[in-house]
Amino acid sequence: MIISTGTASGKSLAYLTPAVTSCLDGGTVLYLTPTKALAADQLRGLRELRITQLRAACFDGDTPFEERTWVRQHANYVLTNPDMLHRSILPRHAQWSSFFRRLRMVVVDECHGYRGVFGSHVAQILRRLRRVCARYGSQPVFLLASATASEPGAFAMRLTGLEMAEVTSDGSPKGATTIALWEPPLTELRGERGAPVRRTATAEAADLLTDLVLAKVRTLAFVRSRRGAETVALTARAKLADVAFSLAGTPIGGSSSTAFAPAGGNPGALPLSGGHAIPPERDISPLPSAPHPGSPDHDVPMASRDHRPSLSSPTQDTHPAFSTPPPSDQGTRPAPSTRSTTTPLPDQGTAPPGADQGTLSWGASVSVPESESVSESESADWADLPDRIAAYRAGYLAEDRRLLEKALRSGSIMGLATTNALELGVDVSGLDAVLIAGWPGTRASLWQQAGRAGRDGQEALAVLIARDDPLDTYLVHHPQALFGQPVEAIVLDPDNPYVLGPHLCAAAAEIPLTDADLPVFGPTTPNVLDDLVTEGLLRKRPAGWFWTRRERATDLADIRGGGGAPIQVVESATGRLLGSVDEPSAHTTVHTGAVYLHQGETYLVELLDLEAGVALVGGAEPDYTTFARDVTEISVLASLRSHDLGPGSLHFGEVEVTRQVVSYLKRRLQSGEMLGDEPLDLPPRTLRTRAVWWTLPASEVATLAQEGFDLGGAAHAAEHAAIGLLPLFATCDRWDIGGVSTELHADTGLLTVFVYDGHEGGAGFAERGYARATDWLTATREAIASCECERGCPSCIQSPKCGNGNEPLDKRGAIHLLDTLLRSASAAS
């Protein structure tokens, strides 16, 4: 069964009740989650039940080795993740024999996180689990849960290989959430080819996070990358330190005084982090009236409710004494373009009758009443302001992550900058606002992240801050693409031979494969087994297929990466191991000269040694970040499907891609200003994958050339924008896909634009693009045309990973090229 209802609708109770009952009846339960944070949160909830017969325990990478034996022998409710199931539990199933014999239920929580190549790996891990259970005579019920799954029954059946019933009715009460679409302003800086540069989403997120924390609005800021999360937290903490310094040095008192009141102190004005109040015409009202600290449903200590500041106060200038100069590379923040709508999240009902519909004005200042002043003891607490903000991401020690989660729940931390590690299910009730720095990849993730706020039925604020990216720009100008639309179908392909093959080897190592096992793993299993025997990975005997090598079969499948041994990141001065990066990502993330961020510390990569599998880094404090660029060649192996698209043709098939990282860009952290392009010497990588591509006949191309358009630049610009927009139609990230365009391709003999899956064997993204080509390319055309730049910029046709330095590009040519391609297609539709 799959339960697919909204955030905080009671899904946990729905599976906990039968799961705990199974344990009380002598059975066992296996709970799977994509993240360790969610497992730890669930364990906390189970222990709060105080049921002595319930022996719940986590079994993941954070579990001490001395505790693992106890978990195997005594726990009856085991919380783990697909990685541990794949690498530890299934290969050592004999040590878990007592647990598997009594296994009654497998809970797969937040199952919408299993998509793309990762989801395909998890699908095969679940099939291996079913096979091991059968070996010990158990047939557990699989119960899946998700707040945002499209066609949940069909998806769950593809994930588990089992028939599925679905529960989708959601009657839980929800407060209204105000969604603000926030587009950072263009700056006076110029990037490649003189294109205007927008203020970065991380810089905007840091400012907004600071302002909200000063307003005592408990906030979670989701940032796309680990480095970005660290940067937002560090920047916001520095801004709070500036505010604290200016306040601590200013005498407080009298009717004209304004001040920030520390927790438990007298509330005063809310000075802006950037040192500039936003005048009334820049107010983005109406924003939500989140229940204010000090109200009965908020647990942050405050002064008496009679004197709490009002977030719906009119905007006024901040007192000059509390202004702090903005960083020199940012200047005064111009008013961003914003669009806002007050809407319940999907399937989440509406605000309760009589709910307060006040507004929150950025930059609002509230004067301390004449009868009150802030004492010296309270002003001493201003120094603690920066400690109200922290970063959270994977890679931290387990105890550090648990402390941060606890501090956010208790209110001792008011703002947390995080990756999507806190997106899934962790109970952080009491949040008032969520900032989302950059489109999170899918509508499902957007609603999941927005649903982190207002989990107690209160009203909440969610702000989507657009990056300098074609898709982000398109969405803030086309809200209809977000609101009133179903979440995306979850794409996964368990039959991908590059996924299936390693798991068949792992399954054979666990228990030799027989003919009776083949239907469990899918229809392509016989052919893949033949290939594995030919390659010498498996041996065929009359009794079945056997793994005969001495290596661990599970090492063949890197379920979260792209294959290959991970690259170890080592501090050169001390020899300390900082972390690891999967081998395919190493070329772009830890190349020589790359900026590497780890737990708030910034490092520069001194050397990447691919043969030794080591990246040496040294401590540094650069004021820039780095982006790798590559060049790509592509050849067509087979066209599997094709049809006419306007005067051209659309194809889907198999391709071979050769990519080589050739250089990296250096861009200033806060402003995005380009500082240089440094060459690199890295070996090329070959990828056999699947792609969607379209061609135009020579007659149409000749017409465009006669009109004076640069054909290569037009195709190149259309390719960049198409890559940027495909994630709106396929459940993927821009970095999961790549593209190539050429005025005359050797295999097609025509002007051709390719967009391909960036994973061996394909991941289903290009296939989704093929299925929705007209909608996808129409949105691509609109995204280019609606951008206010003249010749092209990162918001429409420029790409940060273009190996050709974004040359040539022809914005007007791309619009005409897409108009030509869509002319007949639009009429037909």
Side-chain angles (χ1 to χ4, degrees):
M1 175 174 288
I2 179 169
I3 302 172
S4 181
T5 56
T7 307
S9 58
K11 294 185 297 298
S12 296
L13 184 62
Y15 62 70
L16 273 175
T17 303
V20 172
T21 301
S22 297
C23 293
L24 298 180
D25 289 342
T28 60
V29 172
L30 183 66
Y31 172 92
L32 288 176
T33 171
T35 66
K36 290 185 284 188
L38 180 53
D41 186 69
Q42 287 286 316
L43 179 62
R44 179 181 58 84
L46 287 168
R47 288 177 173 170
E48 288 175 352
L49 296 176
R50 300 185 181 277
I51 300 175
T52 55
Q53 301 98 314
L54 182 65
R55 300 183 299 279
C58 282
F59 191 86
D60 54 33
D62 294 338
T63 306
F65 282 95
E66 57 271 20
E67 292 183 15
R68 297 188 181 189
T69 301
W70 184 92
V71 175
R72 285 194 298 267
Q73 295 177 354
H74 301 291
N76 56 10
Y77 196 117
V78 174
L79 303 98
T80 188
N81 51 57
D83 309 75
M84 288 298 286
L85 189 61
H86 164 62
R87 290 192 170 275
S88 180
I89 297 177
L90 292 178
R92 297 182 176 91
H93 59 85
Q95 299 176 3
W96 292 82
S97 58
S98 175
F99 181 86
F100 281 125
R101 284 192 184 96
R102 297 179 292 129
L103 187 60
R104 304 278 184 83
M105 180 178 292
V106 177
V107 178
V108 185
D109 202 2
E110 304 291 357
C111 61
H112 60 272
Y114 302 125
R115 59 183 178 85
V117 173
F118 177 49
S120 302
H121 279 291
V122 173
Q124 292 299 344
I125 292 170
L126 293 179
R127 285 158 173 77
R128 286 165 50 199
L129 172 62
R130 289 170 47 206
R131 184 167 170 267
V132 167
C133 289
R135 166 71 174 78
Y136 292 99
S138 63
Q139 289 185 317
V141 171
F142 280 73
L143 199 157
L144 286 68
S146 170
T148 47
S150 176
E151 301 177 351
F155 156 67
M157 186 167 64
R158 193 157 180 75
L159 183 66
T160 63
L162 297 168
E163 292 292 330
M164 280 284 160
E166 60 180 41
V167 175
T168 57
S169 177
D170 183 357
S172 57
K174 294 290 184 299
T177 296
T178 295
I179 308 291
L181 305 181
W182 185 285
E183 184 177 44
L186 291 170
T187 67
E188 295 181 357
L189 298 172
R190 289 293 179 266
E192 290 183 293
R193 304 174 74 236
V197 176
R198 288 193 186 277
R199 197 164 186 269
T200 63
T202 51
E204 291 286 295
D207 279 358
L208 293 175
L209 180 60
T210 306
D211 294 342
L212 286 165
V213 168
L214 284 171
K216 292 194 177 294
V217 176
R218 200 181 308 182
T219 305
L220 203 58
F222 286 103
V223 190
R224 298 272 299 172
S225 66
R226 296 180 178 186
R227 181 168 61 188
E230 298 273 10
T231 300
V232 168
L234 288 171
T235 304
R237 287 169 63 92
K239 291 176 181 294
L240 284 179
D242 290 343
V243 172
F245 176 79
S246 62
L247 290 177
T250 304
I252 303 298
S255 60
S256 63
S257 299
T258 56
F260 173 84
N266 295 322
L270 310 175
L272 281 173
S273 59
H276 49 276
I278 300 178
E281 64 270 20
R282 297 182 184 173
D283 187 6
I284 63 169
S285 303
L287 291 178
S289 58
H292 205 275
S295 60
D297 58 351
H298 204 293
D299 58 1
V300 179
M302 282 289 292
S304 68
R305 294 178 60 199
D306 293 337
H307 297 127
R308 68 181 186 269
S310 169
L311 293 186
S312 57
S313 309
T315 306
Q316 53 183 291
D317 290 338
T318 304
H319 194 286
F322 309 126
S323 297
T324 55
S328 58
D329 62 348
Q330 293 185 58
T332 299
R333 181 174 71 190
S337 303
T338 62
R339 288 168 174 79
S340 65
T341 180
T342 302
T343 179
L345 297 184
D347 302 322
Q348 291 189 354
T350 58
D356 181 15
Q357 298 293 331
T359 62
L360 167 64
S361 301
W362 251 260
S365 296
V366 184
S367 297
V368 177
E370 292 188 24
S371 60
E372 300 183 13
S373 63
V374 180
S375 67
E376 291 183 8
S377 62
E378 290 166 346
S379 66
D381 290 338
W382 291 329
D384 297 332
L385 270 179
D387 296 333
R388 308 302 295 275
I389 288 179
Y392 181 104
R393 63 172 177 81
Y396 284 179
L397 296 176
E399 53 267 32
D400 292 338
R401 293 197 303 271
R402 301 296 91 81
L403 285 173
L404 286 169
E405 294 161 17
K406 183 178 179 180
L408 184 63
R409 282 192 294 267
S410 69
S412 56
I413 286 179
M414 293 294 293
L416 199 61
T418 179
T419 59
N420 61 1
L422 282 180
E423 175 183 321
L424 301 176
V426 177
D427 181 12
V428 285
S429 57
L431 290 180
D432 305 310
V434 166
L435 304 176
I436 304 169
W439 171 244
T442 63
R443 282 185 289 268
S445 288
L446 176 70
W447 301 129
Q448 191 74 27
Q449 292 180 6
R452 296 297 92 188
R455 288 174 63 90
D456 285 337
Q458 65 209 36
E459 295 182 22
L461 165 68
V463 183
L464 173 62
I465 306 168
R467 291 175 301 163
D468 212 357
D469 178 88
L471 179 53
D472 290 45
T473 303
Y474 177 83
L475 291 173
V476 296
H477 288 276
H478 299 81
Q480 66 274 15
L482 293 177
F483 304 110
Q485 298 291 329
V487 296
E488 303 85 353
I490 300 174
V491 178
L492 69 154
D493 183 12
D495 299 326
N496 180 339
Y498 295 94
V499 171
L500 177 58
H503 287 286
L504 289 175
C505 291
E510 291 154 8
I511 305 168
L513 285 164
T514 65
D515 289 329
D517 295 321
L518 303 192
V520 174
F521 293 97
T524 61
T525 302
N527 293 334
V528 175
L529 280 173
D530 292 342
D531 292 339
L532 294 173
V533 171
T534 303
E535 295 171 16
L537 292 172
L538 292 181
R539 183 171 297 175
K540 179 73 164 67
R541 293 175 179 168
W545 291 264
F546 291 76
W547 173 260
T548 58
R549 296 194 170 195
R550 306 185 72 171
E551 309 96 282
R552 284 169 49 95
T554 52
D555 290 340
L556 294 175
D558 181 7
I559 70 173
R560 293 186 189 259
I567 302 297
Q568 306 298 317
V569 182
V570 177
E571 188 175 25
S572 58
T574 63
R576 180 168 61 108
L577 178 65
L578 298 180
S580 62
V581 177
D582 60 276
E583 195 272 338
S585 300
H587 290 232
T588 56
T589 57
V590 289
H591 56 76
T592 302
V595 174
Y596 182 78
L597 205 61
H598 179 75
Q599 293 193 4
E601 299 294 329
T602 306
Y603 300 86
L604 279 178
V605 179
E606 300 169 353
L607 175 68
L608 171 61
D609 189 334
L610 292 171
E611 292 186 3
V614 173
L616 296 177
V617 302
E621 294 185 1
D623 64 344
Y624 60 85
T625 187
T626 52
F627 297 89
R629 315 179 85 159
D630 57 46
V631 293
T632 307
E633 295 181 358
I634 192 167
S635 58
V636 177
L637 301 179
S639 176
L640 303 178
R641 274 174 269 163
S642 64
H643 64 76
D644 292 338
L645 184 66
S649 298
L650 183 75
H651 301 262
F652 169 72
E654 296 180 355
V655 297
E656 186 172 83
V657 180
T658 302
R659 297 176 56 209
Q660 183 175 17
V661 174
V662 295
S663 67
Y664 65 95
L665 285 180
K666 296 163 68 174
R667 286 183 173 167
R668 197 176 298 279
L669 270 173
Q670 293 298 323
S671 65
E673 177 186 4
M674 195 177 77
L675 302 177
D677 190 356
E678 303 291 334
L680 289 171
D681 183 18
L682 288 168
R685 296 179 56 85
T686 300
L687 179 72
R688 194 178 175 116
T689 185
R690 296 190 172 191
V692 55
W693 67 92
W694 48 267
T695 62
L696 274 180
S699 57
E700 296 290 342
V701 170
T703 302
L704 291 170
Q706 291 169 4
E707 295 177 11
F709 296 115
D710 178 349
L711 295 178
H716 194 195
E719 171 221 327
H720 282 181
I723 292 172
L725 268 293
L726 182 56
L728 188 62
F729 301 92
T731 312
C732 68
D733 184 87
R734 178 174 183 152
W735 300 91
D736 288 329
I737 52 180
V740 176
S741 59
T742 175
E743 188 175 343
L744 186 65
H745 190 266
D747 294 330
T748 66
L750 300 169
L751 182 149
T752 311
V753 175
F754 295 86
V755 176
Y756 62 86
D757 292 346
H759 298 274
E760 195 74 34
F765 308 138
E767 188 170 12
R768 293 285 296 178
Y770 177 84
R772 300 196 60 187
T774 301
D775 294 337
W776 167 36
L777 296 178
T778 300
T780 300
R781 190 261 179 213
E782 291 178 3
I784 300 173
S786 63
C787 185
E788 61 260 47
C789 70
E790 291 186 13
R791 300 177 56 225
C793 69
S795 294
C796 57
I797 62 172
Q798 288 191 356
S799 170
K801 58 178 184 174
C802 178
N804 295 321
N806 284 300
E807 289 281 358
L809 291 175
D810 186 338
K811 179 177 178 176
R812 290 180 57 250
I815 295 172
H816 282 266
L817 194 65
L818 291 167
D819 281 340
T820 300
L821 188 69
L822 294 166
R823 185 176 59 221
S824 300
S826 300
S829 62

Coordinates of all heavy atoms in Angstrom, one line a residue, residues 95-143:
Q95 N 23.5 -13.1 9.2 CA 23.5 -12.6 10.6 C 22.2 -11.9 11.0 O 22.0 -11.7 12.2 CB 24.7 -11.5 10.6 CG 26.0 -12.1 10.3 CD 27.1 -11.0 10.3 OE1 26.8 -9.8 10.6 NE2 28.3 -11.4 9.9
W96 N 21.3 -11.7 10.1 CA 20.0 -11.1 10.4 C 18.9 -12.1 10.2 O 17.7 -11.8 10.1 CB 19.8 -10.0 9.4 CG 20.6 -8.8 9.5 CD1 21.9 -8.6 9.1 CD2 20.3 -7.6 10.2 NE1 22.4 -7.4 9.4 CE2 21.4 -6.7 10.1 CE3 19.2 -7.1 10.9 CZ2 21.5 -5.4 10.7 CZ3 19.2 -5.8 11.5 CH2 20.3 -5.0 11.4
S97 N 19.2 -13.4 10.2 CA 18.3 -14.4 9.9 C 17.1 -14.4 10.9 O 15.9 -14.5 10.4 CB 18.9 -15.8 10.0 OG 19.5 -16.0 11.3
S98 N 17.3 -14.2 12.2 CA 16.2 -14.1 13.1 C 15.3 -12.9 12.8 O 14.0 -13.0 12.9 CB 16.7 -14.0 14.6 OG 15.7 -13.8 15.5
F99 N 15.9 -11.8 12.4 CA 15.1 -10.6 12.1 C 14.3 -10.8 10.8 O 13.0 -10.5 10.8 CB 16.0 -9.4 11.9 CG 15.4 -8.1 11.6 CD1 14.9 -7.3 12.6 CD2 15.2 -7.7 10.2 CE1 14.3 -6.1 12.3 CE2 14.6 -6.5 9.9 CZ 14.1 -5.7 10.9
F100 N 14.9 -11.4 9.8 CA 14.2 -11.6 8.5 C 13.0 -12.7 8.7 O 12.0 -12.6 8.0 CB 15.1 -12.1 7.4 CG 15.9 -10.9 6.8 CD1 17.3 -10.9 6.8 CD2 15.2 -9.8 6.3 CE1 18.0 -9.8 6.3 CE2 15.9 -8.7 5.8 CZ 17.3 -8.8 5.8
R101 N 13.2 -13.7 9.5 CA 12.2 -14.7 9.7 C 10.9 -14.1 10.2 O 9.8 -14.6 10.0 CB 12.7 -15.8 10.6 CG 13.7 -16.8 10.0 CD 13.9 -18.0 10.8 NE 14.9 -18.9 10.2 CZ 16.2 -18.9 10.5 NH1 16.6 -18.1 11.5 NH2 17.0 -19.7 9.9
R102 N 11.0 -13.1 11.1 CA 9.9 -12.5 11.7 C 9.4 -11.2 11.1 O 8.6 -10.5 11.7 CB 10.2 -12.3 13.2 CG 10.5 -13.5 14.0 CD 10.9 -13.3 15.4 NE 12.1 -12.6 15.6 CZ 12.3 -11.5 16.3 NH1 11.3 -10.9 16.9 NH2 13.5 -10.9 16.3
L103 N 10.0 -10.8 9.9 CA 9.7 -9.5 9.3 C 8.3 -9.5 8.8 O 7.9 -10.3 8.0 CB 10.7 -9.3 8.2 CG 10.6 -7.9 7.5 CD1 10.9 -6.8 8.6 CD2 11.6 -7.8 6.4
R104 N 7.5 -8.6 9.4 CA 6.1 -8.4 9.0 C 5.8 -7.2 8.1 O 4.9 -7.3 7.3 CB 5.2 -8.2 10.3 CG 5.4 -9.3 11.4 CD 4.5 -10.5 11.1 NE 4.6 -11.5 12.1 CZ 4.0 -11.5 13.3 NH1 3.1 -10.5 13.5 NH2 4.1 -12.4 14.2
M105 N 6.6 -6.2 8.2 CA 6.3 -5.0 7.5 C 7.6 -4.3 7.1 O 8.6 -4.2 7.9 CB 5.4 -4.0 8.3 CG 5.1 -2.7 7.7 SD 4.0 -1.7 8.7 CE 2.5 -2.7 8.6
V106 N 7.6 -3.7 5.9 CA 8.7 -2.8 5.4 C 8.1 -1.5 5.1 O 7.2 -1.4 4.3 CB 9.4 -3.4 4.1 CG1 10.4 -2.4 3.6 CG2 10.0 -4.8 4.4
V107 N 8.5 -0.5 5.9 CA 8.0 0.9 5.7 C 9.0 1.6 4.8 O 10.2 1.7 5.2 CB 7.8 1.6 7.0 CG1 7.3 3.0 6.8 CG2 6.8 0.8 7.9
V108 N 8.6 2.2 3.7 CA 9.4 3.0 2.8 C 8.9 4.4 2.8 O 7.9 4.8 2.2 CB 9.4 2.4 1.3 CG1 10.4 3.2 0.5 CG2 9.7 0.9 1.3
D109 N 9.5 5.2 3.7 CA 9.0 6.6 3.9 C 9.6 7.5 2.9 O 10.7 7.4 2.4 CB 9.4 7.0 5.4 CG 8.5 8.1 5.9 OD1 7.6 8.5 5.2 OD2 8.8 8.5 7.0
E110 N 8.9 8.6 2.7 CA 9.3 9.7 1.7 C 9.8 9.1 0.4 O 10.8 9.4 -0.1 CB 10.4 10.5 2.4 CG 10.0 11.2 3.7 CD 9.0 12.3 3.5 OE1 8.6 12.6 2.4 OE2 8.5 12.8 4.6
C111 N 9.0 8.2 -0.1 CA 9.4 7.3 -1.2 C 9.6 8.2 -2.5 O 10.2 7.7 -3.5 CB 8.5 6.2 -1.5 SG 6.8 6.7 -1.8
H112 N 9.0 9.4 -2.6 CA 9.2 10.2 -3.8 C 10.6 10.6 -4.0 O 11.0 11.1 -5.0 CB 8.3 11.4 -3.7 CG 8.6 12.3 -2.6 ND1 8.0 12.1 -1.3 CD2 9.4 13.4 -2.4 CE1 8.4 13.1 -0.5 NE2 9.3 13.8 -1.1
G113 N 11.5 10.4 -2.9 CA 12.9 10.8 -3.1 C 13.6 9.8 -3.9 O 14.8 10.0 -4.3
Y114 N 13.0 8.6 -4.2 CA 13.7 7.6 -5.0 C 13.3 7.8 -6.5 O 12.3 7.2 -7.0 CB 13.2 6.2 -4.5 CG 13.6 6.0 -3.0 CD1 12.6 5.6 -2.1 CD2 14.8 6.2 -2.5 CE1 12.9 5.5 -0.8 CE2 15.1 6.1 -1.2 CZ 14.1 5.7 -0.3 OH 14.4 5.5 1.0
R115 N 14.0 8.6 -7.1 CA 13.8 8.9 -8.6 C 15.1 8.9 -9.3 O 16.1 8.8 -8.7 CB 13.1 10.2 -8.7 CG 13.9 11.4 -8.1 CD 13.1 12.7 -8.2 NE 13.8 13.8 -7.7 CZ 14.7 14.6 -8.3 NH1 15.0 14.3 -9.5 NH2 15.3 15.6 -7.7
G116 N 14.9 8.9 -10.6 CA 16.1 8.9 -11.5 C 17.0 7.6 -11.3 O 16.5 6.5 -11.0
V117 N 18.3 7.8 -11.4 CA 19.2 6.6 -11.3 C 19.2 6.1 -9.9 O 19.2 4.9 -9.6 CB 20.6 7.0 -11.7 CG1 21.6 5.9 -11.5 CG2 20.6 7.4 -13.2
F118 N 19.2 7.0 -8.9 CA 19.1 6.6 -7.5 C 17.9 5.7 -7.2 O 17.9 4.7 -6.6 CB 19.1 7.8 -6.6 CG 19.0 7.5 -5.1 CD1 19.8 6.5 -4.5 CD2 18.1 8.2 -4.3 CE1 19.7 6.3 -3.1 CE2 18.0 7.9 -3.0 CZ 18.8 6.9 -2.4
G119 N 16.7 6.2 -7.7 CA 15.5 5.4 -7.6 C 15.5 4.1 -8.2 O 15.0 3.1 -7.7
S120 N 16.2 4.0 -9.4 CA 16.3 2.8 -10.1 C 17.2 1.8 -9.3 O 16.8 0.6 -9.2 CB 17.0 3.0 -11.5 OG 16.2 3.9 -12.2
H121 N 18.2 2.3 -8.6 CA 19.0 1.4 -7.8 C 18.2 0.9 -6.6 O 18.2 -0.3 -6.2 CB 20.2 2.2 -7.3 CG 21.4 2.2 -8.2 ND1 22.1 1.2 -8.6 CD2 21.9 3.3 -8.9 CE1 23.1 1.5 -9.4 NE2 23.0 2.8 -9.6
V122 N 17.4 1.8 -6.0 CA 16.6 1.4 -4.8 C 15.6 0.4 -5.2 O 15.3 -0.5 -4.5 CB 15.9 2.7 -4.2 CG1 15.0 2.3 -3.1 CG2 17.0 3.6 -3.6
A123 N 15.0 0.5 -6.4 CA 14.0 -0.5 -6.9 C 14.6 -1.9 -6.9 O 14.0 -2.8 -6.5 CB 13.5 -0.1 -8.3
Q124 N 15.9 -2.0 -7.4 CA 16.5 -3.3 -7.4 C 16.9 -3.7 -6.0 O 16.9 -4.9 -5.7 CB 17.8 -3.2 -8.3 CG 17.4 -3.0 -9.8 CD 16.6 -4.2 -10.4 OE1 16.5 -5.3 -9.8 NE2 15.9 -4.0 -11.5
I125 N 17.3 -2.8 -5.1 CA 17.6 -3.2 -3.7 C 16.4 -3.8 -3.1 O 16.4 -4.8 -2.3 CB 18.1 -2.0 -3.0 CG1 19.5 -1.6 -3.5 CG2 18.2 -2.3 -1.5 CD1 20.0 -0.2 -3.0
L126 N 15.2 -3.2 -3.3 CA 14.0 -3.7 -2.7 C 13.6 -5.1 -3.3 O 13.1 -6.0 -2.6 CB 12.8 -2.7 -3.0 CG 12.9 -1.4 -2.3 CD1 11.7 -0.5 -2.6 CD2 13.0 -1.6 -0.7
R127 N 14.0 -5.3 -4.6 CA 13.7 -6.7 -5.1 C 14.7 -7.7 -4.5 O 14.3 -8.8 -4.2 CB 13.9 -6.6 -6.6 CG 12.7 -6.0 -7.4 CD 13.1 -5.4 -8.7 NE 12.0 -4.9 -9.5 CZ 11.4 -3.8 -9.3 NH1 11.8 -3.0 -8.3 NH2 10.4 -3.4 -10.0
R128 N 15.9 -7.3 -4.2 CA 16.8 -8.2 -3.5 C 16.3 -8.4 -2.1 O 16.4 -9.6 -1.6 CB 18.2 -7.5 -3.5 CG 19.0 -7.6 -4.8 CD 20.2 -6.6 -4.8 NE 21.0 -6.8 -3.6 CZ 21.9 -5.9 -3.2 NH1 22.0 -4.7 -3.9 NH2 22.7 -6.1 -2.2
L129 N 15.8 -7.4 -1.4 CA 15.2 -7.6 -0.1 C 14.1 -8.6 -0.1 O 14.0 -9.5 0.7 CB 14.7 -6.3 0.4 CG 13.9 -6.3 1.7 CD1 14.8 -6.8 2.9 CD2 13.4 -4.9 2.1
R130 N 13.2 -8.5 -1.1 CA 12.1 -9.5 -1.2 C 12.6 -10.9 -1.4 O 12.0 -11.8 -0.8 CB 11.2 -9.1 -2.4 CG 10.3 -7.8 -2.2 CD 9.7 -7.4 -3.5 NE 9.0 -8.5 -4.2 CZ 8.8 -8.6 -5.5 NH1 9.2 -7.6 -6.3 NH2 8.2 -9.6 -6.0
R131 N 13.6 -11.0 -2.1 CA 14.2 -12.4 -2.4 C 14.8 -13.0 -1.1 O 14.7 -14.1 -0.8 CB 15.2 -12.2 -3.5 CG 15.9 -13.5 -3.9 CD 16.6 -13.3 -5.2 NE 17.4 -14.5 -5.6 CZ 18.7 -14.6 -5.2 NH1 19.3 -13.6 -4.6 NH2 19.4 -15.7 -5.6
V132 N 15.5 -12.1 -0.3 CA 16.1 -12.6 0.9 C 15.0 -13.0 1.9 O 15.1 -14.0 2.6 CB 17.0 -11.5 1.5 CG1 17.4 -11.8 3.0 CG2 18.3 -11.4 0.7
C133 N 13.9 -12.1 2.0 CA 12.8 -12.5 2.9 C 12.2 -13.8 2.5 O 11.9 -14.6 3.4 CB 11.8 -11.4 2.8 SG 12.2 -9.8 3.5
A134 N 12.0 -14.1 1.2 CA 11.5 -15.4 0.8 C 12.4 -16.5 1.2 O 11.9 -17.6 1.6 CB 11.3 -15.4 -0.7
R135 N 13.7 -16.3 1.2 CA 14.7 -17.3 1.6 C 14.4 -17.7 3.1 O 14.6 -18.9 3.5 CB 16.1 -16.7 1.5 CG 17.2 -17.5 2.2 CD 17.4 -18.8 1.5 NE 18.6 -19.5 2.0 CZ 18.6 -20.2 3.2 NH1 17.5 -20.3 3.9 NH2 19.7 -20.8 3.6
Y136 N 14.0 -16.8 3.9 CA 13.7 -17.1 5.3 C 12.2 -17.3 5.6 O 11.8 -17.3 6.8 CB 14.3 -16.0 6.2 CG 15.8 -15.9 6.2 CD1 16.5 -15.0 5.3 CD2 16.5 -16.9 6.9 CE1 17.8 -15.0 5.3 CE2 17.9 -16.9 6.8 CZ 18.6 -16.0 6.0 OH 20.0 -16.0 6.0
G137 N 11.4 -17.4 4.6 CA 10.0 -17.8 4.8 C 9.1 -16.6 5.2 O 8.0 -16.9 5.7
S138 N 9.5 -15.4 5.0 CA 8.6 -14.3 5.4 C 8.1 -13.5 4.1 O 8.8 -13.5 3.1 CB 9.3 -13.3 6.3 OG 10.4 -12.7 5.6
Q139 N 6.9 -13.0 4.2 CA 6.4 -12.2 3.1 C 5.9 -10.9 3.7 O 4.7 -10.7 4.0 CB 5.2 -12.9 2.4 CG 5.7 -14.1 1.6 CD 4.5 -14.7 0.8 OE1 3.5 -14.9 1.4 NE2 4.8 -15.0 -0.4
P140 N 6.8 -9.9 4.0 CA 6.3 -8.7 4.7 C 5.4 -7.8 3.8 O 5.5 -7.9 2.5 CB 7.7 -8.0 4.9 CG 8.6 -8.5 3.9 CD 8.2 -9.9 3.7
V141 N 4.6 -7.1 4.4 CA 3.8 -6.1 3.7 C 4.7 -4.8 3.5 O 5.4 -4.4 4.4 CB 2.6 -5.7 4.6 CG1 1.8 -4.5 4.0 CG2 1.6 -6.8 4.8
F142 N 4.6 -4.3 2.3 CA 5.3 -3.1 2.0 C 4.4 -1.9 2.1 O 3.3 -1.9 1.4 CB 5.9 -3.1 0.6 CG 7.2 -3.9 0.5 CD1 7.2 -5.3 0.6 CD2 8.4 -3.3 0.3 CE1 8.4 -6.1 0.5 CE2 9.6 -4.0 0.3 CZ 9.6 -5.4 0.4
L143 N 4.7 -1.0 3.0 CA 3.8 0.2 3.1 C 4.7 1.5 2.8 O 5.7 1.7 3.5 CB 3.3 0.3 4.6 CG 2.1 1.2 4.8 CD1 1.3 0.8 6.0 CD2 2.5 2.7 4.9

